[in-house]
Amino acid sequence: MTTPVTPVLREMRWWDIDPVLELERDLFPEDAWSRGMFWSELAHSRGPEATRRYVVAEEGGRLVGYAGLASAGELADVQTIAVARDHWGTGLGSVLLTELLRAATAFECAEVMLECRIDNIRAQKLYERFGFEAIGFRRGYYQPGNVDALVMRLTTASDSGSAAVSTSERGTEING
C-alpha cells in the first residue's frame, strides 16, 4: 500500500494562475474570479510593500488548493480559499486558513474579515472552528447568481497580540 502524499504549500506565482483558474471554475462556476483578478492580487504579493499573501497547495505535481489574504492597516481580509473536491474533509482547508492567519499576524493585523456564501455551510463551519463570528450579511454579494454573503470576523485575542491563535486557545475562548 502506498503512503498518501501530503499537499505542500508554497507561494502562488503567475504560472499558477491557469491551474488555479481551472479549480476556481470547477468550484465556483457562477462567480469564479477572472485571470485579471488573480494577476492584480499577485501584483501586490511580493516585495517590501506587499499587502497580499497567496499560497497554493500541491500534491504530486497537481494543484489541489489555494488561498489568499489582503491586508490594509490593522485589517486583513480572506479573499479566497479553495480546495479540490477530492480533498474535501482532509484538513487542507484548515492548513490553508492557518497559513493566511500567519500572514495576517506578519502584516500585524488585529482583525481578519471574510465573506462566505450564505449557502456554503462547510466553509462557515471551518471559519467558526477558527473563532470567526458572523457579524452581518451582504445582500446579493456573489454575482451573477445574486447570492448573499455572510460576513465573518476574527478579532485578535488581546493577550496574544496575533490573529493566528492556536486552535486549542480558540476552543477555550469559544466554549468557555
Side-chain angles (χ1 to χ4, degrees):
M1 184 168 172
T2 60
T3 306
V5 179
T6 303
V8 175
L9 292 190
R10 64 170 174 77
E11 177 185 12
M12 184 187 293
R13 300 299 305 274
W14 65 267
W15 53 81
D16 295 311
I17 291 177
D18 283 341
V20 163
L21 284 172
E22 284 181 37
L23 193 52
E24 177 83 2
R25 290 179 190 127
D26 175 52
L27 296 171
F28 313 112
E30 287 187 352
D31 44 25
W33 280 26
S34 68
R35 179 180 312 277
M37 291 169 78
F38 281 106
W39 271 105
S40 177
E41 289 297 296
L42 291 182
H44 299 283
S45 67
R46 305 197 89 204
E49 302 297 317
T51 58
R52 307 289 195 272
R53 172 74 171 143
Y54 276 76
V55 295
V56 294
E58 282 186 321
E59 183 180 80
R62 177 178 159 235
L63 194 137
V64 295
Y66 59 90
L69 177 115
S71 69
E74 292 191 353
L75 180 65
D77 191 74
V78 173
Q79 301 289 80
T80 186
I81 293 183
V83 173
R85 293 177 194 276
D86 62 339
H87 281 67
W88 287 1
T90 65
L92 181 54
S94 292
V95 170
L96 290 165
L97 183 55
T98 297
E99 178 59 28
L100 296 185
L101 294 178
R102 275 194 202 106
T105 298
F107 287 130
E108 299 180 353
C109 296
E111 286 186 332
V112 180
M113 305 285 291
L114 60 85
E115 291 86 17
C116 180
R117 283 179 63 109
I118 197 72
D119 57 359
N120 191 344
I121 304 303
R122 314 176 61 77
Q124 291 171 34
K125 290 189 180 304
L126 168 67
Y127 301 136
E128 288 168 359
R129 281 196 308 272
F130 275 76
F132 282 85
E133 296 176 339
I135 60 167
F137 297 93
R138 293 187 191 210
R139 303 282 176 217
Y141 182 79
Y142 292 98
Q143 294 297 328
N146 201 36
V147 177
D148 295 345
L150 178 65
V151 180
M152 302 182 83
R153 175 178 62 203
L154 175 66
T155 305
T156 303
S158 57
D159 59 343
S160 74
S162 133
V165 181
S166 78
T167 304
S168 61
E169 288 171 350
R170 270 195 303 299
T172 53
E173 284 178 4
I174 295 168
N175 299 324

